[in-house]
Amino acid sequence: MSKYLVDKFLYTVDRDPELVERYREDPAGTVTWWERERAGKILNVIDAEATTWLSFTDAERAALSAQDVPALFEMGAHPFLTLTLWIAMFERDFTEPLGMQLDYAARLSQFNLPYPDIAT
């Protein structure tokens, strides 16, 4: 797994409210678009500085498209990046306090310490 590229996806989507909504409504389409248009941008700053060698693996693409947080976590995606993006996308769907966070924790309850490596 390219932890870098998956974490870059999670980070950049989370920081753009329009991308958050796009990923919430059309996850597979957003992943495909982002990989084609944004994955190769160096530091997401200068369009002229880009690379063509970065791409998701099939497993990464499938997990991101399915919004499968346990699979992403198991592959090494940073839990803080998934959590903050999931809060932006899904917290509004829960009425009880911390409902989304408790749901997120339940989805990851199969994991025991030590967690998968989240070193960057």
Side-chain angles (χ1 to χ4, degrees):
M1 171 178 156
S2 168
K3 286 189 220 180
Y4 169 78
L5 194 58
V6 170
D7 286 346
K8 180 179 176 181
F9 174 86
L10 298 169
Y11 179 85
T12 58
V13 170
D14 187 37
R15 270 120 194 104
D16 183 332
E18 290 178 17
L19 280 179
V20 168
E21 292 308 311
R22 183 176 180 171
Y23 186 47
R24 176 183 161 94
E25 299 301 322
D26 180 17
T30 304
V31 169
T32 300
W33 170 84
W34 190 92
E35 185 176 16
R36 183 183 64 244
E37 299 294 328
R38 304 291 277 294
K41 303 288 189 236
I42 306 294
L43 300 176
N44 294 321
V45 179
I46 301 171
D47 285 343
E49 293 184 10
T51 182
T52 58
W53 67 270
L54 291 172
S55 63
F56 294 124
T57 65
D58 290 341
E60 293 165 344
R61 196 174 297 106
L64 288 166
S65 293
Q67 298 176 339
D68 186 348
V69 74
L72 291 168
F73 189 72
E74 189 168 34
M75 287 188 271
H78 200 287
F80 297 140
L81 296 176
T82 56
L83 177 60
T84 58
L85 180 53
W86 261 239
I87 289 170
M89 290 195 311
F90 301 120
E91 187 172 47
R92 66 189 100 160
D93 297 336
F94 293 83
T95 56
E96 65 278 1
L98 295 176
M100 197 263 21
Q101 291 83 346
L102 294 171
D103 179 67
Y104 178 89
R107 290 172 187 252
L108 298 178
S109 65
Q110 72 221 34
F111 296 99
N112 296 312
L113 291 173
Y115 291 141
D117 179 19
I118 58 169
T120 56

